[in-house]
Amino acid sequence: MEATKILLVDDQRQCLHALQAALEHPGYELVLASSGEAALKALLHHDVAVILMDVEMPGIDGFQTATLIREREKARQIPIIFVTGVMADVQAVFRGYTMGAVDYLLKPLDAHALRAKVSVFVALWHQKREIERTSEALRLAEMRERTYIEALYDVTFEDAPIGIGHASQDGHWVRVNPRLADILGCGREQLLARSFQDVVHPADRGRLLENVGRVASGAEPRHRGQYRFLHADGATLWIALTVSFIRGLNGQAVHLAIVEDISEEKQLALALEASERRFARLREAGLIGIFHEAPDGIITEANVAFLKIIGYTEEEVRAGKLSATLLAAPGYAEVEMRARAELRECGQCATHEKEYMRKDGGRAYVIEGAVTAGDTGAIGFALDVTVTKDAERERARFLSELQESIRVRDDFLNIAAHELRNPLTPLLVQVTNLRAMAARAMTPIEASWLARQLEPVERATIRLARLIESLLDVSRLTVGGVPLELENVDLAATVRDVAERMRPEIQRSECPLTVRTDVPVVGRWDRIRIDEVVANLLSNAVKYGAGKPIEVEVDSDEQEGHICVRDYGIGIPRQDHERIFERFGRAAPLQHYGGFGLGLWIVHRIVEAHHGRVELWSEPGKGSLFTVILPRIPLTEPACEPLGTKEEAWRTSSL
Ligand code: ADP
């Protein structure tokens, strides 16, 4: 280790040697000076830890030398131990040297005390040197660190792919990096000549200054925002700006601005926004249903139009209650499967027609299409065509009804021709015969013979009259409804009257007839119409009774009167039970049984006008039982309701 230098100053050689001897130590290097001047000189070359100085010396004495030492910057801190024989001198010195390390020793010197004192100052000097060395090392390290950081910052600043600039408090650029100049389209020098505000779009300037002001005032640590800046060529740039406020060591404040050009992203975002707005308009306009279906089939989003089509609420959609399965209407499994396969393979499926099950149980007819939406499922649209479809179906129904009615009309014309010709042929033959006989007759014709000859003529005429009557009824009942003339009518008497009137016909059919009308059943009905009902049922029983017994019965309870007509004839297959009550509805083969198929339709109309009903039991080969049920006191006064629709009227009139 380097020896510690100690300066010994004394004009007397023996004193100097005495000090030298007392302080002899391998760790010390003793520098000797025989005067104040020599001491000052020695201090120019030696860095000493402590000075031992005689007070009384010729020339400049110890005190003066000490004063001169204190004046020197480098030596000011060196502790001085005065060596004197006079106590008074020392006290005076202490008054003058209250600052700095100063001590004294009285002559004759105590070598032990001298060494102890010197060793204390030497130790202090070492400590001080150590501290100085450490702090120097620290300072150097700090400097190196700072230089490194500054270099790092400089490199970062210069090479940063984002714009960085420092601006003074009054907004002038102090330092800008190349990227910032590049973003703003001008050279660095050019930019440094401008202010921060100059490069901001006038429309955003106020907002920016306000926000920067908040950062400068310390209200916010930093500000981030998007602003429009001006490019040197006048174009508008969209910038993501971060501004921080830094106060330097010299107290000067600097705004640090980090500038990112987001014009491209912003243009895209704005374009996207505008496009979204436009599509949102379509989505919200309610013209077309739009929905999103997650991969698990749950409908997660739906616009108002879609909700309207399916009859569910937005809350139900949000709660995840709606799924493709729930909406699927039966009968479209194949369409659905095809659409899903297309969606999987091509990312979209062609528009297809299908039906949704609405919440209210009804069905909505839609045209549907969909595209996949990445991993999130699919987006679909649905156009409600229920009204169009209903109209289409209605048209189809109308068309088929029209075709059916044309078919019925053609059938009817065939039947009518056949039916009318049937009684007409024997009538014509008989009348022609009679005329020929009358022409050939030599003697007057016998009345009983003539009556017999006229019998088939009468029968055929009655049959023709009935046929024509029922044809007229069709038109009357269809166009004008069933006008009723209500009066007190006894069903039992009416049935008996009809049976009596039809006796000859019944006898010809050889069907034994039983009429059970034990008690009168009186109600307010239309006598003629009820008569027509019984006549129609009885003549059918005769016609289809296959010569087997016929039973007619009338009974009642408090509310209703019942007429039952039972035969044991050919019966009616189950599937025809309803149809035979329709206009021209027939079940029996025409070649065996004639008839327009109008009788039961007329029966049904009349009974319906009385608010009653007709019940039928029948089995092929076992016969039929028709029961007419008539309320005794009609609920409302029966009106002359038009019983046919317009088409029915048209059909009838075109027959
Ligand atoms: P029509 O007898 O002139 O054909 P209706 O309207 O009186 O017309 O009867 C309709 C059809 O009902 C008949 O064509 C016949 O097939 C069936 N029908 C009616 N009454 C009976 C019955 N008592 N037994 C078997 N079939 C009957």
Side-chain angles (χ1 to χ4, degrees):
M1 202 175 92
E2 196 189 341
T4 310
K5 290 182 179 176
I6 300 169
L7 177 61
L8 308 176
V9 189
D10 206 315
D11 57 317
Q12 289 173 38
R13 185 168 294 274
Q14 68 272 22
C15 287
L16 210 53
H17 284 148
L19 282 171
Q20 197 178 6
L23 293 172
E24 198 62 52
H25 185 277
Y28 297 160
E29 181 188 328
L30 303 172
V31 179
L32 307 181
S34 54
S35 65
E37 292 84 348
L40 289 168
K41 210 170 182 176
L43 284 174
L44 291 176
H45 307 289
H46 299 283
D47 182 15
V48 303
V50 61
I51 302 169
L52 277 112
M53 187 151 60
D54 184 26
V55 176
E56 287 146 39
M57 284 188 294
I60 51 171
D61 67 6
F63 296 146
Q64 284 168 326
T65 309
T67 306
L68 290 170
I69 290 172
R70 290 285 180 262
E71 279 168 7
R72 283 195 194 164
E73 174 65 33
K74 258 186 90 183
R76 186 175 294 151
Q77 302 294 327
I78 305 172
I80 302 171
I81 303 170
F82 291 111
V83 182
T84 180
V86 190
M87 193 56 197
D89 289 347
V90 175
Q91 277 163 354
V93 170
F94 273 113
R95 270 200 302 278
Y97 295 94
T98 46
M99 307 277 280
V102 174
D103 207 341
Y104 68 94
L105 283 169
L106 284 176
K107 289 182 185 170
L109 288 171
D110 173 355
H112 192 70
L114 171 66
R115 274 197 297 275
K117 219 160 237 187
V118 167
S119 73
V120 168
F121 282 110
V122 166
L124 274 173
W125 182 81
H126 276 299
Q127 264 175 21
K128 195 168 153 242
R129 286 291 295 269
E130 191 55 39
I131 287 166
E132 273 170 8
R133 264 202 304 277
T134 313
S135 55
E136 178 61 10
L138 263 175
R139 196 181 62 77
L140 284 175
E142 240 173 49
M143 222 164 74
R144 272 200 303 276
E145 180 74 15
R146 217 167 58 221
T147 314
Y148 170 73
I149 287 171
E150 272 172 10
L152 193 67
Y153 179 76
D154 284 349
V155 171
T156 313
F157 186 85
E158 291 301 313
D159 298 344
I162 51 168
I164 307 174
H166 301 171
S168 64
Q169 240 181 323
D170 63 3
H172 275 95
W173 291 113
V174 179
R175 194 178 171 192
V176 292
N177 75 343
R179 176 67 188 135
L180 181 56
D182 184 38
I183 288 173
L184 297 174
C186 53
R188 279 163 97 164
E189 294 310 317
Q190 212 182 336
L191 187 56
L192 286 169
R194 306 176 72 187
S195 77
F196 187 56
Q197 292 92 310
D198 287 345
V199 295
V200 180
H201 193 287
D204 287 354
R205 213 170 274 161
R207 181 166 64 97
L208 175 62
L209 288 179
E210 195 182 308
N211 287 324
V212 170
R214 288 166 60 76
V215 178
S217 68
E220 272 174 29
R222 75 176 54 76
H223 168 69
R224 280 201 185 100
Q226 294 186 355
Y227 295 92
R228 276 164 294 177
F229 274 44
L230 293 170
H231 191 270
D233 66 7
T236 301
L237 300 168
W238 271 100
I239 297 294
L241 178 72
T242 308
V243 178
S244 322
F245 189 66
I246 300 159
R247 202 170 285 280
L249 288 174
N250 54 5
Q252 215 163 27
V254 172
H255 287 110
L256 173 70
I258 296 178
V259 173
E260 282 168 87
D261 185 0
I262 53 162
S263 302
E264 229 167 87
E265 296 92 315
K266 194 74 189 180
Q267 298 302 345
L268 278 176
L270 289 174
L272 198 68
E273 225 172 80
S275 141
E276 259 182 19
R277 259 203 310 278
R278 281 195 293 274
F279 281 107
R281 175 91 189 84
L282 179 65
R283 203 171 52 225
E284 284 146 22
L287 295 171
I288 191 165
I290 296 174
F291 61 92
H292 172 254
E293 188 190 306
D296 59 0
I298 299 289
I299 307 291
T300 57
E301 264 180 76
N303 71 345
V304 177
F306 190 74
L307 294 173
K308 207 166 128 200
I309 294 173
I310 55 174
Y312 284 86
T313 65
E314 205 178 335
E315 286 67 40
E316 285 166 320
V317 172
R318 245 185 271 132
K321 288 187 180 163
L322 220 65
S323 66
T325 323
L326 188 72
L327 291 181
Y332 290 90
E334 208 181 305
V335 175
E336 187 74 21
M337 227 162 63
R338 219 178 16 244
R340 287 196 181 273
E342 262 182 60
L343 203 59
R344 259 194 320 276
E345 284 155 25
C346 319
Q348 65 180 67
C349 63
T351 51
H352 48 274
E353 292 186 13
K354 65 185 275 195
E355 280 180 289
Y356 290 145
M357 288 308 300
R358 287 175 48 84
K359 190 184 178 187
D360 60 14
R363 285 173 174 229
Y365 207 99
V366 295
I367 293 177
E368 193 195 62
V371 288
T372 46
D375 294 342
T376 68
I379 298 183
F381 77 87
L383 190 64
D384 190 353
V385 288
T386 310
V387 175
T388 326
K389 207 68 199 177
D390 281 353
E392 216 174 86
R393 281 174 177 155
E394 184 63 19
R395 260 201 311 279
R397 193 181 60 81
F398 180 65
L399 193 68
S400 95
E401 273 179 16
L402 202 64
Q403 283 164 344
E404 173 65 11
S405 72
I406 289 168
R407 191 191 60 73
V408 168
R409 189 193 62 177
D410 290 347
D411 284 0
F412 171 76
L413 286 176
N414 282 336
I415 294 166
H418 178 261
E419 279 300 288
L420 292 173
R421 211 177 293 124
N422 261 357
L424 211 56
T425 313
L427 187 66
L428 203 63
V429 169
Q430 195 67 354
V431 170
T432 314
N433 283 347
L434 276 175
R435 204 162 170 272
M437 277 181 181
R440 287 198 309 265
M442 308 299 284
T443 53
I445 292 168
E446 198 189 324
S448 60
W449 179 84
L450 189 60
R452 268 200 315 278
Q453 296 305 311
L454 283 175
E455 237 176 65
V457 174
E458 187 190 37
R459 266 204 314 276
T461 314
I462 289 170
R463 176 132 177 76
L464 266 178
R466 245 194 232 159
L467 287 170
I468 290 164
E469 188 57 31
S470 55
L471 280 180
L472 283 175
D473 252 357
V474 176
S475 134
R476 270 202 304 266
L477 296 186
T478 305
V479 179
V482 187
L484 297 181
E485 281 179 29
L486 299 180
E487 59 182 313
N488 284 345
V489 175
D490 177 6
L491 291 186
T494 308
V495 165
R496 280 195 299 272
D497 285 353
V498 175
E500 188 51 40
R501 201 173 62 235
M502 291 179 64
R503 182 175 295 278
E505 189 180 336
I506 296 165
Q507 274 172 352
R508 263 195 312 278
S509 74
E510 293 177 356
C511 291
L513 173 68
T514 318
V515 178
R516 287 239 310 271
T517 52
D518 300 338
V519 284
V521 174
V522 180
R524 285 190 66 73
W525 296 301
D526 183 315
R527 183 186 302 279
I528 294 173
R529 291 297 185 189
I530 298 299
D531 185 295
E532 206 176 340
V533 166
V534 178
N536 269 323
L537 292 177
L538 198 52
S539 73
N540 274 353
V542 168
K543 193 163 148 191
Y544 302 109
K548 300 208 175 126
I550 297 171
E551 293 154 7
V552 183
E553 196 178 334
V554 173
D555 66 17
S556 68
D557 56 27
E558 271 186 20
Q559 276 88 38
E560 297 162 337
H562 305 150
I563 306 166
C564 310
V565 180
R566 170 83 162 104
D567 67 68
Y568 295 87
I570 62 168
I572 307 158
R574 181 71 199 87
Q575 69 271 17
D576 295 326
H577 282 197
E578 276 178 27
R579 204 169 54 79
I580 55 170
F581 287 96
E582 287 170 10
R583 205 166 42 167
F584 310 127
R586 304 179 72 261
L590 186 62
Q591 60 270 34
H592 293 120
Y593 304 94
F596 289 140
L598 288 169
L600 287 181
W601 178 74
I602 292 169
V603 167
H604 176 68
R605 283 291 190 239
I606 293 172
V607 173
E608 196 181 46
H610 281 88
H611 297 282
R613 61 188 191 280
V614 184
E615 287 175 0
L616 166 63
W617 171 91
S618 184
E619 268 182 41
K622 290 190 179 169
S624 310
L625 167 62
F626 287 87
T627 307
V628 173
I629 298 152
L630 294 165
R632 298 184 81 167
I633 307 157
L635 295 172
T636 54
E637 191 73 6
C640 303
E641 304 155 31
L643 294 170
T645 60
K646 277 189 190 157
E647 313 103 71
E648 280 175 324
W650 177 85
R651 252 185 268 154
T652 310
S653 61
S654 68
L655 288 172

